[in-house]
Amino acid sequence: MILSKGELQVSDKERHTQLEQMFRDIATIVADKCVNPETKRPYTVILIERAMKDIHYSVKPNKSTKQQALEVIRQLKETMQIERAHMRLRFILPAKEGKKLKEKLKPLIKVTESEDFQEQLEMVCLIDPGCFREIDELIRSETKGKGSLEVLSLKDVEEGDEKLE
């Protein structure tokens, strides 16, 4: 009975270490996925951890770290300037569906970097990562597999030293 339905007891120290590790993992995911909207530079993990402590975020051991990280991002938006780093995508769409599809994609695209319309529409743009699945499904269903979607970079961030003027 104990072997089949019993639970393993975890010591206080083990539980504390596990929660601390999850807290660090969540902060790392948030730091990976987010940037400062003004400078487009990533935040450091330590800064995110401090911000999580400031908003008194408590780790839920039964939820995945990724789910909690997305929750933390929503909560941090209220107290600091933070946003998800945009994804850079390239789509190549057949000419006849291109125009019609472009109008449907317009509201989901944040910034259009380049657009080339010859025998097909080729477009490089920045989107919010939350819209990726929606864009992917839209392109698949509208072009019936003829259009292609390519992820150029998962996060668009500024690298290097800050330039002072």
Side-chain angles (χ1 to χ4, degrees), residues 68-86:
Q68 291 185 69
L70 295 174
E71 198 177 296
V72 166
I73 294 169
R74 276 193 287 280
Q75 290 178 15
L76 287 177
K77 277 183 182 174
E78 295 166 14
T79 58
M80 64 190 277
Q81 289 193 321
I82 190 169
E83 70 175 25
R84 297 270 309 262
H86 296 326

Side-chain angles (χ1 to χ4, degrees), residues 42-159:
Y43 282 111
T44 61
V45 176
I46 294 155
L47 194 100
I48 298 293
E49 280 182 21
R50 198 173 303 129
M52 283 169 65
K53 283 181 181 141
D54 289 347
I55 62 168
H56 304 293
Y57 185 78
S58 60
V59 178
K60 293 153 191 79
N62 52 0
K63 280 180 86 178
S64 80
T65 50
K66 189 172 181 186
Q67 279 180 323
Q68 291 185 69
L70 295 174
E71 198 177 296
V72 166
I73 294 169
R74 276 193 287 280
Q75 290 178 15
L76 287 177
K77 277 183 182 174
E78 295 166 14
T79 58
M80 64 190 277
Q81 289 193 321
I82 190 169
E83 70 175 25
R84 297 270 309 262
H86 296 326
M87 286 173 85
R88 182 175 280 121
L89 298 179
R90 175 196 291 141
F91 3 94
I92 300 168
L93 308 168
K96 64 175 185 268
E97 287 102 353
K99 273 200 169 71
K100 181 175 65 178
L101 201 52
K102 185 181 165 194
E103 292 309 310
K104 288 184 179 178
L105 292 170
K106 266 281 193 267
L108 301 170
I109 296 171
K110 294 280 185 202
V111 181
T112 304
E113 289 184 339
S114 72
E115 198 174 319
D116 184 23
F117 206 129
Q118 280 142 13
E119 62 272 353
Q120 56 193 16
L121 173 66
E122 185 176 324
M123 205 168 166
V124 176
C125 60
L126 297 177
I127 65 155
D128 190 51
C131 300
F132 176 75
R133 186 174 288 141
E134 196 178 333
I135 289 173
D136 187 37
E137 285 170 2
L138 192 64
I139 289 174
R140 278 203 188 129
S141 65
E142 293 287 323
T143 64
K144 297 173 187 68
K146 290 188 182 98
S148 71
L149 174 65
E150 182 184 346
V151 178
L152 298 178
S153 71
L154 288 172
K155 54 183 192 197
D156 180 47
V157 293
E158 292 286 325
E159 296 292 331

